Amino acid sequence: MAIKERLSGNEAVAIAMRQINPDVMPAYPITPSTEIPQYFTNFVSNGQVDTVFIPVESEHSAMSACIGSEAAGARTVTATSSCGMALMWEVLHVAAADRLPICLALVNRTLSGPININCDHSDAMGARNTGWIQIFAENNQEAYDNMVQAYRIAEHKDVQLPIMVCQDGFITSHAVENITLLEDDVVKDFVGEYEPDHYLLKDGEPFSVGPYAVTNYIMEAKRAQLQGLLNAKQVTLDVAKEFEKISGRSYGLFEEYRMEDAEYAMVLIGSAAGTAKDTVDALRDRGIRAGVLKIRLFRPFPAEEIAEALKNIKYLAIMDRCEDFNGNCGPLGAEIKSALYNAGLHPATINYCYGVGGRDVTVESLTSVFEDLETVARTGSLGDTYRYLSVRE
């Protein structure tokens, strides 16, 4: 029986962790993810989980402890944001290279400087090429649902890679929404027990984690790691189908909203997708054929599937909630443009940097993006292909 609740995104993720009952949680606090280990340590102290909680001296130590416990055969979870993610940088690569299915709840916050504690995607995008699976949520319900599905994806025998479960700082992490929880026993049965084939404490099996790789072997190791990441795409879809059976909620690699006959489309990630949907509804009422494509799985990037979803779009806006500092496009912009180019598709495309450091994203601001696309359609002139939205120039 489903449980109706009113929860913040952080609390919802912590409850999912309680239901999963991981073996180990090393963590170090940083805003806005601090509430997740705070909630979870209450579960530990109350005896609601069997998890060993390890307080550490830094985020680098937190991820290092995750690597040690996961390599020893323990299902491991942690949480962080922003500069905490940056301090983990070295060991993020190690976790992925060692094929350790650690789960990290990443509450997205801008990276310094200037110092700012609000939402953008610079932390996740800065770590996009570390070899981790990255999955994003629009709202609190999706944050909870993604966490429930995360270990099934990461621990799959064809994947064996760590996973970041991302949600937008403060916008979803602290805002309270109505959500539906699954029963504890349903989640427990769905996730199952962690039974790795190889681990450091396995009796009678000498095993090494993270050995030195000489030139003759490292490229093969990286290629095998890539294959695990590529396999995660189908595994994510398979797990989502099973999750739908127990929840009634359907997930894919991305969500298409009013895209069936769209002439103008917006592609984006995270909580702003809700505002984009409201924008599209208002534009549709005016007879404008607008649509939204919301990315859920960013790593591995579903390039071919996205290109297929956008094949009939004539005018496209790609929305990046961070700056990539190449002067040409943002991280999502680069991925989408590459996917379209490889598919031989060339819609008129403008890439926007928006919402950085918590800058408000409104129906009015997103409407202006579609108005820009209408101007391109009317004049035939693309103008600047990389723009800032809602900025004082």
Side-chain angles (χ1 to χ4, degrees), residues 90-253:
E90 174 193 6
V91 276
L92 290 175
H93 288 270
V94 175
D98 289 347
R99 308 298 294 274
L100 301 173
I102 299 160
C103 184
L104 167 63
L106 179 62
V107 183
N108 296 125
R109 164 189 155 185
T110 189
L111 274 163
S112 302
I115 296 172
N116 182 288
I117 64 168
N118 298 303
C119 173
D120 66 33
H121 295 158
S122 52
D123 48 8
M125 293 301 160
R128 67 189 182 275
N129 295 331
T130 56
W132 285 59
I133 302 163
Q134 292 183 321
I135 194 164
F136 286 79
E138 174 187 340
N139 51 43
N140 302 12
Q141 184 70 67
E142 290 186 12
Y144 169 80
D145 292 348
N146 287 346
M147 180 59 69
V148 172
Q149 296 174 69
Y151 280 111
R152 287 287 306 274
I153 299 167
E155 293 173 356
H156 192 280
K157 63 181 179 61
D158 294 333
V159 178
Q160 290 292 297
L161 285 169
I163 185 168
M164 295 179 194
V165 179
C166 306
Q167 63 168 315
D168 285 354
F170 293 107
I171 300 171
T172 63
S173 67
H174 286 64
V176 175
E177 293 181 348
N178 293 324
I179 75 168
T180 302
L181 302 176
L182 299 169
E183 295 281 359
D184 290 355
D185 58 343
V186 172
V187 174
K188 182 179 180 180
D189 291 342
F190 177 80
V191 177
E193 297 295 328
Y194 182 39
E195 298 178 352
D197 291 331
H198 309 286
Y199 52 95
L200 288 174
L201 298 184
K202 187 174 183 179
D203 189 41
E205 183 183 41
F207 187 61
S208 177
V209 174
Y212 176 70
V214 297
T215 305
N216 291 349
Y217 294 99
I218 189 166
M219 284 188 67
E220 286 72 21
K222 292 296 183 184
R223 178 62 183 86
Q225 182 182 337
L226 172 63
Q227 191 61 49
L229 195 62
L230 296 175
N231 293 344
K233 187 165 63 174
Q234 184 59 50
V235 171
T236 298
L237 292 173
D238 294 341
V239 171
K241 287 181 181 178
E242 292 188 43
F243 183 79
E244 185 176 6
K245 294 176 183 177
I246 64 171
S247 69
R249 296 185 290 275
S250 176
Y251 291 99
L253 306 175

